[in-house]
Amino acid sequence: MKECMVRLIYCEMLGYESSFGYIHAIKLAQQGNLLEKRVGYLAVSLFLHENHELLLLLVNTVVKDLQSTNLVEVCMALTVVSQIFPREMIPAVLPLIEDKLQHSKEIIRRKAVQALYKFYLIAPNQVQHIHDKFRKALCDRDAGVMAASLHIYLQMIKENSSGYKDLTGSFVTILKQVVGGKLSADFNYHSVPAPWLQIQLLRILGLLGKDDPRTSELMYDVLDESLRRAEINHNITYAILFECVQTIYTIYPKSELLEKAAKCIGKFVLSPKINLKYLGLKALTYVIQQDPSLALQHQMTIIECLDHPDPIIKRETLELLYRITNGQNVTVIVQKMLDYLKEGQEEYAIISLVGKIAELAENAPNNEWFIQTMNAVFSVGGDVVHSDIPNNFLRLLAEGFDDEKEDHQLRMYAVQSYLALLEEEDKLYPQKFLQVMSWVLGEYFSLVTDVDPEDILTKLHSLLKKTFVTSETKAWIMAAVTKIASHTSCSKTVDELIQELSSSLDTCLRQYAFELKYLCEDKALMKSLLPFDASCSDLVVDASLSFLDGFVAEGLGHGAAPYKPHHQRQEEKLSQQKALNFEPYGLSFTSSVSSSGVTGRQSPTGLSFGSDISGNSAETGHKETNTLKLEGVRKLWGKEGYLPKKENKIGKENEQETVPCESLLAGEVGEPPALQPDQGASLSEEDKEKQQLASTLFIGLGSSAGVSLMGKADTATQKFKRKSKINEAQQLNEEALDFQNSAASDFGPLLDTVPINVEDSEGSMHTRLRKASPCSSDIVEDNLAFETPQSVRKSVLDHRISANRLSQSSLFADSNIEIFQPSSSAQCESASEAPLVPSLPEELEELPHSEVVRLCQSDALALHLCKVWTDDSLLLIVFVSNETTSALHAVNLVFEETEHFQILESATLQFPVIEAQSVEHCQKCVRMNKVCTKAILPGSVSYQSEMEIRLEFSVTLSLMDFIRPMEMTTEDFGKLWLSLSNDVKQNIKMSSCQDSFPAALDTLQQKLKLHRVDVIGNEGILACQLLPSVPCLLHCRTHSGMLALWFRSPSAALPDGLLYQCQKVMEESSEQQCLP
């Protein structure tokens, strides 16, 4: 059987169908001797994936081998667990793997750490209780075990670096020992001590030292030593140097280290080797936002890389230019990107470059260049362009800019441009480009007064007849025709179109034709439904569907049954069944944690009629629409050898012609600096051209210009800055801040966000206070932990980084995040008046509640909060205190809904007036939409003083805030248990200090708010519900000092969350009882 399995593995590698042998691989792993078991495990790891149904048959074998006394069997079991293992079966082996962390053999401990790392990746909630054991693995006497634990720490520090700052000294010590050659020679690679271990540690240190001077100071010596010792000319040392450079530019800077890192980058960039040159460009791209002078030092080398024969070098050079783009060199850099785009055929490069060009277009010097550039993007990019790019382009046209005259000119030029493009009948445009044209012509056709609307309708009608136009695009065109027809008295083209499409085989087009026909019969109704330029108008949505109340009442009056939730109907169905249930297992509730919300109905055009332009992209240029999906074993080899196969490939039947762009002259961007006389005489014509190109590409990178995080900087005002029609009050605040700080710089330093932590009985409430005036003051109580704001960079970078930065909210990233930098002059003395202490109303005093804690405050207003837990909801009682001697006006309190929580009724509350030295309060009911262990509910409060002042805060809510006991009988528990399919099992060790099983049940019942249904011997059943009505059942029992927990719920995430809470509660109980 072993030889047959080896041949079967070979057949699978060649691409032949070999699924008939999967079951035999499992049998071989179960029943064979050591050699056969090894082959069986190997075959299983190659044949099956994590979600394969046959993998469940291997669980018992893995458990048995983990308990074996044979080290080889234990190693094989741990290896297969770290490669493939079903997520739902983790609780079956987790206690055994935890025990292996204390094994005497280092290979067992190392493989156990690798298995736990795999568990952390696929189910982090199930290993949160063993983080202390990870720390023991980091301090293990064996270097291999320590190296394995670094993978877990790297992942955890990426998610939350602040929680592991205390380990910085340990990581630095380990790196010093590695660099100093203290490890065994077995870890060396080409005489380099443990290079991969060094790379892991450097990445961890970079994450820990970011924006933290105190932590970064611990790393300076070891980073200097790493740079000094990595002098061997080998690829692995180049990798270490690259990681050192990245770490040095990530942590808080030090001038000596920055100079050494810059020299290292220069050696890479000037190297004749392609790999080192690519590494240098990669490092230069990473550090350019902090040190733009490096690009100036190597500008001629970068120019040469633009014409490099290697496409990877050329692409990385374009990425570097993208990072240094500003308003003065944007036309030249975009033209270089478009030239590369027209030559390249690789789909990934097209998607990436199209997004970058679209993002850089926000620095457009004029309307004509902007429209022509976007036309080139849509034409060359084709239908592989990410949908956010056309959506956000249309949103920009709809929302407009800060100047109404600019709005009119841009829209009018867009209409003229698209009409000119449609004149060419033989052109084949991409579908997304045609959709953009249709929407713009439908919205703004009337801006062009010298063109008859009938001519526009004729062009759109001819597009509908084209065979290459898809049904989706035709829906966009029909929407445009409907909008144009609403502003014309009568049209022969519209009548012909209705007559043609009324008998169309496409049901969508036929429906559009009938809708257009009936709308044309009532022009007044048509104009009211389709007003001109109303794409940004707010739509009032009746979330309660009150217009159906009459229909519902009429139905109930005629004897119709009232509506029942699905889980209630399911319970009634189960209760009426016979004693024997012949239904298949797996019956589950469809009710989810999230309450029913109102979702926007999207038309086939996506933007028709209501023009609800969607799309909120972050870094559009880096998004990739085609994600690699692997279902099962990859088929990479066939009878004829290697078979490259690309999934989700978008076919192109016709090669589409690109729209010619306006030629861009370098002279329009800026005058190149004059060459020195001795240089000008000795340079050839080719060198002179390169010098001129360099002067246009790197203009604006001197000491007076800065480069932002995304690489965009400009000394002038941004041309295409989208106007927000929603947050106008927020813009007023920004204008006031800019006015107050204009003496410092052109744009002025802004105040940083200051986090304040508030501890209460359930968790911490993180409050962020945005100051609107540098004279505002903070009152910090003893229970508030004040975190020092980020200090200004050292003077070594002051001459490299300018204060004149563009807004970091990108046009095509659609980001509304505001970044506030600290100001040293904005520190004032705290107010000396004692704050008002609010208290709960009498009707809420008797209910379970938390302490009243302060969320945020200014010199005039303080915000406090108290949680009240009722039987059917969580109430947040918010107190607004006026601590001044005058009344506060227009106080607005707003809670922001997140993916985890929902505010019932209205999330906004207004106080017209709050009298002096008085307290107002309100209450909000909160529900959990998406199950999570702990999450933050943000909000803000604003009030009117000399100017509008806004304070931001956030409240931390945990899962236990929304858990309530669920009373039921044992019979009801049994019926409901059989109907639930989402379950989680876990064994928890009970320490010797813990009492009996009833005591453990009491602990779970009190801490987790569970209802004890029944207890028989060493088994018990409990029930709870996630508000408003999502049940979760628990069956627990004790055996051999272990507490076995088994959760079931209709929600897939709820059992994991409650299991984590159980583990936490039992550990705390054990620690308390074991105290002397």
Side-chain angles (χ1 to χ4, degrees), residues 779-807:
I779 298 177
V780 184
E781 295 294 330
D782 294 337
N783 61 338
L784 300 182
F786 183 83
E787 183 177 339
T788 305
Q790 176 185 346
S791 303
V792 183
R793 294 277 185 176
K794 287 189 178 180
S795 59
V796 64
L797 291 181
D798 289 347
H799 70 284
R800 299 176 180 174
I801 303 176
S802 167
N804 300 337
R805 298 178 180 269
L806 288 178
S807 171

PDB file of all heavy atoms in Angstrom, residues 779-807:
ATOM      1  N   ILE A 779      -9.252  68.536  31.950  1.00  0.00           N
ATOM      2  CA  ILE A 779      -9.284  68.160  33.360  1.00  0.00           C
ATOM      3  C   ILE A 779      -9.099  66.663  33.412  1.00  0.00           C
ATOM      4  O   ILE A 779      -9.919  65.912  32.929  1.00  0.00           O
ATOM      5  CB  ILE A 779     -10.615  68.558  34.006  1.00  0.00           C
ATOM      6  CG1 ILE A 779     -10.777  70.087  33.930  1.00  0.00           C
ATOM      7  CG2 ILE A 779     -10.688  68.095  35.429  1.00  0.00           C
ATOM      8  CD1 ILE A 779     -12.080  70.572  34.481  1.00  0.00           C
ATOM      9  N   VAL A 780      -8.003  66.227  33.958  1.00  0.00           N
ATOM     10  CA  VAL A 780      -7.666  64.812  33.970  1.00  0.00           C
ATOM     11  C   VAL A 780      -7.837  64.289  35.380  1.00  0.00           C
ATOM     12  O   VAL A 780      -7.149  64.719  36.297  1.00  0.00           O
ATOM     13  CB  VAL A 780      -6.223  64.598  33.471  1.00  0.00           C
ATOM     14  CG1 VAL A 780      -5.925  63.125  33.408  1.00  0.00           C
ATOM     15  CG2 VAL A 780      -6.028  65.251  32.108  1.00  0.00           C
ATOM     16  N   GLU A 781      -8.775  63.360  35.557  1.00  0.00           N
ATOM     17  CA  GLU A 781      -9.025  62.792  36.876  1.00  0.00           C
ATOM     18  C   GLU A 781      -8.013  61.701  37.173  1.00  0.00           C
ATOM     19  O   GLU A 781      -7.241  61.264  36.332  1.00  0.00           O
ATOM     20  CB  GLU A 781     -10.463  62.231  36.924  1.00  0.00           C
ATOM     21  CG  GLU A 781     -11.539  63.298  36.781  1.00  0.00           C
ATOM     22  CD  GLU A 781     -11.575  64.256  37.948  1.00  0.00           C
ATOM     23  OE1 GLU A 781     -11.228  63.826  39.059  1.00  0.00           O
ATOM     24  OE2 GLU A 781     -11.932  65.423  37.757  1.00  0.00           O
ATOM     25  N   ASP A 782      -8.064  61.223  38.410  1.00  0.00           N
ATOM     26  CA  ASP A 782      -7.129  60.188  38.815  1.00  0.00           C
ATOM     27  C   ASP A 782      -7.357  58.893  38.068  1.00  0.00           C
ATOM     28  O   ASP A 782      -6.446  58.104  37.892  1.00  0.00           O
ATOM     29  CB  ASP A 782      -7.251  59.929  40.336  1.00  0.00           C
ATOM     30  CG  ASP A 782      -6.799  61.157  41.115  1.00  0.00           C
ATOM     31  OD1 ASP A 782      -6.022  61.960  40.547  1.00  0.00           O
ATOM     32  OD2 ASP A 782      -7.223  61.299  42.275  1.00  0.00           O
ATOM     33  N   ASN A 783      -8.580  58.644  37.660  1.00  0.00           N
ATOM     34  CA  ASN A 783      -8.873  57.381  36.981  1.00  0.00           C
ATOM     35  C   ASN A 783      -8.693  57.469  35.488  1.00  0.00           C
ATOM     36  O   ASN A 783      -9.055  56.548  34.773  1.00  0.00           O
ATOM     37  CB  ASN A 783     -10.316  56.931  37.279  1.00  0.00           C
ATOM     38  CG  ASN A 783     -11.328  57.954  36.775  1.00  0.00           C
ATOM     39  OD1 ASN A 783     -10.993  59.110  36.591  1.00  0.00           O
ATOM     40  ND2 ASN A 783     -12.563  57.501  36.583  1.00  0.00           N
ATOM     41  N   LEU A 784      -8.144  58.586  34.969  1.00  0.00           N
ATOM     42  CA  LEU A 784      -7.898  58.723  33.539  1.00  0.00           C
ATOM     43  C   LEU A 784      -6.407  58.602  33.297  1.00  0.00           C
ATOM     44  O   LEU A 784      -5.605  59.289  33.916  1.00  0.00           O
ATOM     45  CB  LEU A 784      -8.406  60.072  33.007  1.00  0.00           C
ATOM     46  CG  LEU A 784      -9.904  60.347  33.174  1.00  0.00           C
ATOM     47  CD1 LEU A 784     -10.248  61.699  32.563  1.00  0.00           C
ATOM     48  CD2 LEU A 784     -10.717  59.257  32.532  1.00  0.00           C
ATOM     49  N   ALA A 785      -6.031  57.768  32.348  1.00  0.00           N
ATOM     50  CA  ALA A 785      -4.623  57.614  31.990  1.00  0.00           C
ATOM     51  C   ALA A 785      -4.344  58.460  30.771  1.00  0.00           C
ATOM     52  O   ALA A 785      -4.895  58.226  29.722  1.00  0.00           O
ATOM     53  CB  ALA A 785      -4.301  56.147  31.706  1.00  0.00           C
ATOM     54  N   PHE A 786      -3.504  59.478  30.938  1.00  0.00           N
ATOM     55  CA  PHE A 786      -3.232  60.418  29.838  1.00  0.00           C
ATOM     56  C   PHE A 786      -2.008  59.941  29.079  1.00  0.00           C
ATOM     57  O   PHE A 786      -0.955  59.710  29.645  1.00  0.00           O
ATOM     58  CB  PHE A 786      -2.972  61.805  30.411  1.00  0.00           C
ATOM     59  CG  PHE A 786      -2.754  62.857  29.346  1.00  0.00           C
ATOM     60  CD1 PHE A 786      -3.836  63.465  28.746  1.00  0.00           C
ATOM     61  CD2 PHE A 786      -1.473  63.204  28.961  1.00  0.00           C
ATOM     62  CE1 PHE A 786      -3.632  64.418  27.775  1.00  0.00           C
ATOM     63  CE2 PHE A 786      -1.285  64.166  27.990  1.00  0.00           C
ATOM     64  CZ  PHE A 786      -2.355  64.773  27.395  1.00  0.00           C
ATOM     65  N   GLU A 787      -2.170  59.801  27.776  1.00  0.00           N
ATOM     66  CA  GLU A 787      -1.078  59.328  26.925  1.00  0.00           C
ATOM     67  C   GLU A 787      -0.435  60.518  26.234  1.00  0.00           C
ATOM     68  O   GLU A 787      -1.103  61.329  25.620  1.00  0.00           O
ATOM     69  CB  GLU A 787      -1.610  58.353  25.871  1.00  0.00           C
ATOM     70  CG  GLU A 787      -0.507  57.782  25.001  1.00  0.00           C
ATOM     71  CD  GLU A 787      -1.070  56.773  24.021  1.00  0.00           C
ATOM     72  OE1 GLU A 787      -2.153  56.268  24.292  1.00  0.00           O
ATOM     73  OE2 GLU A 787      -0.405  56.528  23.024  1.00  0.00           O
ATOM     74  N   THR A 788       0.855  60.647  26.350  1.00  0.00           N
ATOM     75  CA  THR A 788       1.554  61.784  25.772  1.00  0.00           C
ATOM     76  C   THR A 788       1.431  61.748  24.266  1.00  0.00           C
ATOM     77  O   THR A 788       1.632  60.720  23.658  1.00  0.00           O
ATOM     78  CB  THR A 788       3.042  61.728  26.155  1.00  0.00           C
ATOM     79  OG1 THR A 788       3.131  61.650  27.564  1.00  0.00           O
ATOM     80  CG2 THR A 788       3.770  62.970  25.651  1.00  0.00           C
ATOM     81  N   PRO A 789       1.070  62.867  23.618  1.00  0.00           N
ATOM     82  CA  PRO A 789       0.962  62.871  22.167  1.00  0.00           C
ATOM     83  C   PRO A 789       2.313  62.669  21.520  1.00  0.00           C
ATOM     84  O   PRO A 789       3.362  62.872  22.112  1.00  0.00           O
ATOM     85  CB  PRO A 789       0.374  64.249  21.842  1.00  0.00           C
ATOM     86  CG  PRO A 789       0.749  65.094  23.009  1.00  0.00           C
ATOM     87  CD  PRO A 789       0.760  64.181  24.201  1.00  0.00           C
ATOM     88  N   GLN A 790       2.240  62.289  20.262  1.00  0.00           N
ATOM     89  CA  GLN A 790       3.459  61.998  19.510  1.00  0.00           C
ATOM     90  C   GLN A 790       4.321  63.248  19.388  1.00  0.00           C
ATOM     91  O   GLN A 790       3.872  64.303  19.027  1.00  0.00           O
ATOM     92  CB  GLN A 790       3.079  61.478  18.130  1.00  0.00           C
ATOM     93  CG  GLN A 790       4.295  61.240  17.250  1.00  0.00           C
ATOM     94  CD  GLN A 790       3.869  60.841  15.857  1.00  0.00           C
ATOM     95  OE1 GLN A 790       2.731  60.517  15.670  1.00  0.00           O
ATOM     96  NE2 GLN A 790       4.786  60.872  14.917  1.00  0.00           N
ATOM     97  N   SER A 791       5.581  63.139  19.739  1.00  0.00           N
ATOM     98  CA  SER A 791       6.485  64.277  19.670  1.00  0.00           C
ATOM     99  C   SER A 791       6.863  64.573  18.235  1.00  0.00           C
ATOM    100  O   SER A 791       6.742  63.752  17.352  1.00  0.00           O
ATOM    101  CB  SER A 791       7.752  63.988  20.479  1.00  0.00           C
ATOM    102  OG  SER A 791       7.424  63.690  21.798  1.00  0.00           O
ATOM    103  N   VAL A 792       7.355  65.794  18.066  1.00  0.00           N
ATOM    104  CA  VAL A 792       7.789  66.196  16.723  1.00  0.00           C
ATOM    105  C   VAL A 792       9.095  65.508  16.397  1.00  0.00           C
ATOM    106  O   VAL A 792       9.917  65.229  17.273  1.00  0.00           O
ATOM    107  CB  VAL A 792       7.951  67.718  16.668  1.00  0.00           C
ATOM    108  CG1 VAL A 792       8.328  68.183  15.268  1.00  0.00           C
ATOM    109  CG2 VAL A 792       6.663  68.392  17.099  1.00  0.00           C
ATOM    110  N   ARG A 793       9.262  65.162  15.149  1.00  0.00           N
ATOM    111  CA  ARG A 793      10.496  64.496  14.724  1.00  0.00           C
ATOM    112  C   ARG A 793      11.728  65.334  15.061  1.00  0.00           C
ATOM    113  O   ARG A 793      11.670  66.566  15.139  1.00  0.00           O
ATOM    114  CB  ARG A 793      10.451  64.266  13.210  1.00  0.00           C
ATOM    115  CG  ARG A 793       9.362  63.281  12.795  1.00  0.00           C
ATOM    116  CD  ARG A 793       9.832  61.868  12.950  1.00  0.00           C
ATOM    117  NE  ARG A 793       8.849  60.926  12.441  1.00  0.00           N
ATOM    118  CZ  ARG A 793       9.044  59.629  12.392  1.00  0.00           C
ATOM    119  NH1 ARG A 793      10.164  59.111  12.816  1.00  0.00           N
ATOM    120  NH2 ARG A 793       8.119  58.829  11.929  1.00  0.00           N
ATOM    121  N   LYS A 794      12.844  64.690  15.214  1.00  0.00           N
ATOM    122  CA  LYS A 794      14.061  65.388  15.578  1.00  0.00           C
ATOM    123  C   LYS A 794      14.477  66.359  14.476  1.00  0.00           C
ATOM    124  O   LYS A 794      14.060  66.271  13.334  1.00  0.00           O
ATOM    125  CB  LYS A 794      15.180  64.372  15.825  1.00  0.00           C
ATOM    126  CG  LYS A 794      14.992  63.604  17.126  1.00  0.00           C
ATOM    127  CD  LYS A 794      16.210  62.778  17.426  1.00  0.00           C
ATOM    128  CE  LYS A 794      16.051  62.045  18.758  1.00  0.00           C
ATOM    129  NZ  LYS A 794      17.217  61.241  19.084  1.00  0.00           N
ATOM    130  N   SER A 795      15.377  67.270  14.847  1.00  0.00           N
ATOM    131  CA  SER A 795      15.754  68.321  13.908  1.00  0.00           C
ATOM    132  C   SER A 795      16.499  67.785  12.709  1.00  0.00           C
ATOM    133  O   SER A 795      16.626  68.481  11.705  1.00  0.00           O
ATOM    134  CB  SER A 795      16.629  69.345  14.626  1.00  0.00           C
ATOM    135  OG  SER A 795      17.792  68.719  15.150  1.00  0.00           O
ATOM    136  N   VAL A 796      16.962  66.542  12.768  1.00  0.00           N
ATOM    137  CA  VAL A 796      17.686  66.004  11.626  1.00  0.00           C
ATOM    138  C   VAL A 796      16.812  65.861  10.408  1.00  0.00           C
ATOM    139  O   VAL A 796      17.292  65.880   9.280  1.00  0.00           O
ATOM    140  CB  VAL A 796      18.304  64.647  12.008  1.00  0.00           C
ATOM    141  CG1 VAL A 796      17.198  63.636  12.307  1.00  0.00           C
ATOM    142  CG2 VAL A 796      19.210  64.137  10.897  1.00  0.00           C
ATOM    143  N   LEU A 797      15.500  65.718  10.618  1.00  0.00           N
ATOM    144  CA  LEU A 797      14.588  65.592   9.484  1.00  0.00           C
ATOM    145  C   LEU A 797      13.858  66.875   9.178  1.00  0.00           C
ATOM    146  O   LEU A 797      13.067  66.917   8.244  1.00  0.00           O
ATOM    147  CB  LEU A 797      13.571  64.473   9.749  1.00  0.00           C
ATOM    148  CG  LEU A 797      14.125  63.067   9.759  1.00  0.00           C
ATOM    149  CD1 LEU A 797      13.013  62.069  10.008  1.00  0.00           C
ATOM    150  CD2 LEU A 797      14.816  62.754   8.450  1.00  0.00           C
ATOM    151  N   ASP A 798      14.068  67.925   9.979  1.00  0.00           N
ATOM    152  CA  ASP A 798      13.307  69.155   9.780  1.00  0.00           C
ATOM    153  C   ASP A 798      13.608  69.782   8.429  1.00  0.00           C
ATOM    154  O   ASP A 798      12.728  70.377   7.802  1.00  0.00           O
ATOM    155  CB  ASP A 798      13.615  70.158  10.896  1.00  0.00           C
ATOM    156  CG  ASP A 798      13.002  69.715  12.219  1.00  0.00           C
ATOM    157  OD1 ASP A 798      12.167  68.791  12.166  1.00  0.00           O
ATOM    158  OD2 ASP A 798      13.358  70.259  13.268  1.00  0.00           O
ATOM    159  N   HIS A 799      14.882  69.672   7.986  1.00  0.00           N
ATOM    160  CA  HIS A 799      15.214  70.283   6.698  1.00  0.00           C
ATOM    161  C   HIS A 799      14.834  69.387   5.540  1.00  0.00           C
ATOM    162  O   HIS A 799      14.926  69.798   4.399  1.00  0.00           O
ATOM    163  CB  HIS A 799      16.710  70.580   6.652  1.00  0.00           C
ATOM    164  CG  HIS A 799      17.552  69.343   6.564  1.00  0.00           C
ATOM    165  ND1 HIS A 799      17.778  68.530   7.670  1.00  0.00           N
ATOM    166  CD2 HIS A 799      18.210  68.771   5.529  1.00  0.00           C
ATOM    167  CE1 HIS A 799      18.555  67.528   7.318  1.00  0.00           C
ATOM    168  NE2 HIS A 799      18.826  67.647   6.024  1.00  0.00           N
ATOM    169  N   ARG A 800      14.415  68.144   5.818  1.00  0.00           N
ATOM    170  CA  ARG A 800      14.052  67.227   4.744  1.00  0.00           C
ATOM    171  C   ARG A 800      12.554  67.183   4.500  1.00  0.00           C
ATOM    172  O   ARG A 800      12.113  66.898   3.402  1.00  0.00           O
ATOM    173  CB  ARG A 800      14.536  65.799   5.064  1.00  0.00           C
ATOM    174  CG  ARG A 800      16.034  65.721   5.218  1.00  0.00           C
ATOM    175  CD  ARG A 800      16.423  64.322   5.626  1.00  0.00           C
ATOM    176  NE  ARG A 800      17.856  64.176   5.786  1.00  0.00           N
ATOM    177  CZ  ARG A 800      18.440  63.088   6.247  1.00  0.00           C
ATOM    178  NH1 ARG A 800      17.725  62.050   6.572  1.00  0.00           N
ATOM    179  NH2 ARG A 800      19.751  63.034   6.362  1.00  0.00           N
ATOM    180  N   ILE A 801      11.806  67.390   5.547  1.00  0.00           N
ATOM    181  CA  ILE A 801      10.353  67.252   5.430  1.00  0.00           C
ATOM    182  C   ILE A 801       9.729  68.616   5.595  1.00  0.00           C
ATOM    183  O   ILE A 801       9.941  69.283   6.588  1.00  0.00           O
ATOM    184  CB  ILE A 801       9.812  66.287   6.498  1.00  0.00           C
ATOM    185  CG1 ILE A 801      10.514  64.928   6.364  1.00  0.00           C
ATOM    186  CG2 ILE A 801       8.320  66.107   6.348  1.00  0.00           C
ATOM    187  CD1 ILE A 801      10.108  63.955   7.418  1.00  0.00           C
ATOM    188  N   SER A 802       8.962  69.026   4.643  1.00  0.00           N
ATOM    189  CA  SER A 802       8.352  70.354   4.690  1.00  0.00           C
ATOM    190  C   SER A 802       7.040  70.285   5.420  1.00  0.00           C
ATOM    191  O   SER A 802       6.417  69.252   5.552  1.00  0.00           O
ATOM    192  CB  SER A 802       8.118  70.864   3.262  1.00  0.00           C
ATOM    193  OG  SER A 802       7.279  71.993   3.274  1.00  0.00           O
ATOM    194  N   ALA A 803       6.615  71.447   5.898  1.00  0.00           N
ATOM    195  CA  ALA A 803       5.314  71.530   6.563  1.00  0.00           C
ATOM    196  C   ALA A 803       4.186  71.692   5.579  1.00  0.00           C
ATOM    197  O   ALA A 803       3.018  71.584   5.942  1.00  0.00           O
ATOM    198  CB  ALA A 803       5.296  72.703   7.545  1.00  0.00           C
ATOM    199  N   ASN A 804       4.498  71.971   4.311  1.00  0.00           N
ATOM    200  CA  ASN A 804       3.446  72.182   3.311  1.00  0.00           C
ATOM    201  C   ASN A 804       3.053  70.853   2.720  1.00  0.00           C
ATOM    202  O   ASN A 804       3.694  70.347   1.824  1.00  0.00           O
ATOM    203  CB  ASN A 804       3.959  73.116   2.196  1.00  0.00           C
ATOM    204  CG  ASN A 804       4.357  74.458   2.762  1.00  0.00           C
ATOM    205  OD1 ASN A 804       3.887  74.824   3.823  1.00  0.00           O
ATOM    206  ND2 ASN A 804       5.215  75.181   2.054  1.00  0.00           N
ATOM    207  N   ARG A 805       2.006  70.274   3.236  1.00  0.00           N
ATOM    208  CA  ARG A 805       1.570  68.944   2.819  1.00  0.00           C
ATOM    209  C   ARG A 805       0.195  69.021   2.203  1.00  0.00           C
ATOM    210  O   ARG A 805      -0.630  69.827   2.586  1.00  0.00           O
ATOM    211  CB  ARG A 805       1.515  67.968   4.005  1.00  0.00           C
ATOM    212  CG  ARG A 805       2.873  67.756   4.660  1.00  0.00           C
ATOM    213  CD  ARG A 805       2.724  66.832   5.852  1.00  0.00           C
ATOM    214  NE  ARG A 805       3.991  66.599   6.493  1.00  0.00           N
ATOM    215  CZ  ARG A 805       4.801  65.610   6.184  1.00  0.00           C
ATOM    216  NH1 ARG A 805       4.477  64.786   5.238  1.00  0.00           N
ATOM    217  NH2 ARG A 805       5.935  65.456   6.823  1.00  0.00           N
ATOM    218  N   LEU A 806      -0.020  68.113   1.257  1.00  0.00           N
ATOM    219  CA  LEU A 806      -1.367  67.994   0.709  1.00  0.00           C
ATOM    220  C   LEU A 806      -2.249  67.251   1.685  1.00  0.00           C
ATOM    221  O   LEU A 806      -1.782  66.553   2.565  1.00  0.00           O
ATOM    222  CB  LEU A 806      -1.325  67.227  -0.627  1.00  0.00           C
ATOM    223  CG  LEU A 806      -0.714  67.987  -1.805  1.00  0.00           C
ATOM    224  CD1 LEU A 806      -0.720  67.074  -3.007  1.00  0.00           C
ATOM    225  CD2 LEU A 806      -1.474  69.250  -2.100  1.00  0.00           C
ATOM    226  N   SER A 807      -3.531  67.386   1.494  1.00  0.00           N
ATOM    227  CA  SER A 807      -4.466  66.618   2.305  1.00  0.00           C
ATOM    228  C   SER A 807      -4.255  65.143   2.065  1.00  0.00           C
ATOM    229  O   SER A 807      -4.112  64.695   0.938  1.00  0.00           O
ATOM    230  CB  SER A 807      -5.909  67.004   1.945  1.00  0.00           C
ATOM    231  OG  SER A 807      -6.796  66.137   2.555  1.00  0.00           O
TER     232      SER A 807
END
